[in-house]
Amino acid sequence: MLSVGIFEAKAQLSQLVERVAQGEEVLVAPEASSDASALADWTAELRAFRRGIDRGAKPGSTLSELIAAGRR
């Protein structure tokens, strides 16, 4: 994961958007620092946790099925 500061992100926004479109993860933090890597670790843990939650709908469900699952 790439970590950049806000000023750098502002200066290179189009390049960062292209990288994200290609699937790379980019973290924009007040300053590019080790705190940003801690935030990146926390984000990865949160994504892993969310993958394990049963939301009541199967992958490939239609929008109406997802809405119905959310109403239960």
Side-chain angles (χ1 to χ4, degrees):
M1 174 182 291
L2 175 65
S3 175
V4 295
I6 292 174
F7 182 78
E8 182 181 354
K10 181 180 175 184
Q12 300 177 359
L13 185 59
S14 60
Q15 292 94 348
L16 293 174
V17 169
E18 287 178 19
R19 292 174 81 163
V20 169
Q22 294 173 0
E24 185 175 349
E25 293 184 356
V26 176
L27 176 67
V28 178
E31 296 180 12
S33 66
S34 62
D35 291 339
S37 65
L39 180 60
D41 293 341
W42 178 81
T43 304
E45 290 176 19
L46 179 62
R47 286 186 178 145
F49 171 76
R50 292 188 68 199
R51 276 192 293 268
I53 294 176
D54 178 18
R55 294 183 179 83
K58 297 177 182 138
S61 298
T62 64
L63 180 58
S64 59
E65 291 171 336
L66 293 172
I67 292 170
R71 291 183 180 162
R72 292 183 201 145

